[in-house]
Amino acid sequence: MKAIVQDVYGTADVLALRDIARPVAGDGEVLVSVRAAGVEQGVWHLMTGQPYLIRLFGYGLKKPKVPVRGREVAGVVDSVGAGVTRFKAGDEVFGTSEGSFAEYVCAKEGRLAKKPRDLSFEEAAAAPISGVTALQAVRDAGQVTVGRKVLVIGAGGGVGSFAVQIAKAFGADVTGVCSTGKVELVRSLGADAVIDYTREDFAAAGALYDVILDTAGNRPLSVLKRALAPRGTLVLVGGERGGKLTGGFERSFAAPLLSLFSRQKFKGLVSRETHLDLEALASLIEAGSVKPALDKVFPLAEAPAAIRYLREGRSLGKVVVRI
């Protein structure tokens, strides 16, 4: 089969389209014939091996432990391994698995769900990591309910575009923060208000929010704290633009400590990939409350270009690779 492979950590230049052996589903695994694969920030981190902290989490100290890139997947079940009961050949599925930039990938049964009926494979591939992360940020960490004032920073990105819609589905009053080129997208997602951060500083505007979801990962906690209600909750989703060692994740490490000395709550989110949350996300999609915001679709051979485009920060929602 064809796959996007790398032998060493580095920029997108280390990626190559190669023919490699097709995987075989083991116990508890599902072999998926991939139709599309999402491109999210984790792909860049695993490609570069940065921040170095992720190498200590089992992804390979000197080179990638899994040489095929990609994590979000949508496709058709080809075969199932022993013990798999939720899927059969021919089922259309979406979920996560290491190595989805390939014609076939093996995924754990517990990380897949049935593809939402009305989504294309490209749209479905945009949802598993970004959508589930947003769901856990809004529902679990932020505990968003009807009437809450929610600020979503990075509202035009992968996680942010889902977070705006999910918070609205939960009955919140949502303000999105984004760059000028993404204002119309964020409005179209249902945000009650949109702040263009190139023209206005949300922290200086005087408004206070019950929940702030920071998906952009580059603002000091002291700045975010000023826009948070006295008993509000700040949820930090990932980290970007930090140093090579921790990559901005130090904010998430500091957040729980800061909560000890304040009535405000500060939480760093580490998302969990489960079929239950995939199914919950699929229910929101099928109800019409959430729709993946899809920007560009690249062919498999141009996966390196897709990653470069994502890292430029101009994408309107999600970037996807079509297999």
Side-chain angles (χ1 to χ4, degrees), residues 158-181:
V159 175
S161 60
F162 280 101
V164 168
Q165 297 178 79
I166 294 170
K168 284 299 299 178
F170 284 13
D173 181 283
V174 181
T175 297
V177 179
C178 62
S179 61
T180 305

Side-chain angles (χ1 to χ4, degrees), residues 195-211:
I195 296 174
D196 179 349
Y197 69 76
T198 68
R199 301 179 180 181
E200 182 180 356
D201 179 3
F202 68 85
L208 297 179
Y209 299 91
D210 300 305
V211 179

Side-chain angles (χ1 to χ4, degrees), residues 144-155:
V144 172
T145 54
V146 174
R148 304 280 278 176
K149 292 188 64 176
V150 176
L151 182 74
V152 179
I153 303 172

Side-chain angles (χ1 to χ4, degrees), residues 46-70:
L46 294 177
M47 178 186 75
T48 60
Q50 295 182 16
Y52 296 139
L53 185 65
I54 68 169
R55 304 190 191 196
L56 301 178
F57 294 161
Y59 290 102
L61 288 176
K62 295 183 178 181
K63 64 179 182 179
K65 186 175 181 180
V66 177
V68 182
R69 289 282 58 78

Side-chain angles (χ1 to χ4, degrees), residues 86 110 112-113 132 135 139 273-282:
R86 295 174 46 241
L112 294 175
V132 166
L135 176 65
R139 181 195 63 195
E273 299 165 5
T274 72
H275 72 89
L276 295 177
D277 280 345
L278 283 168
E279 290 165 355
L281 179 63

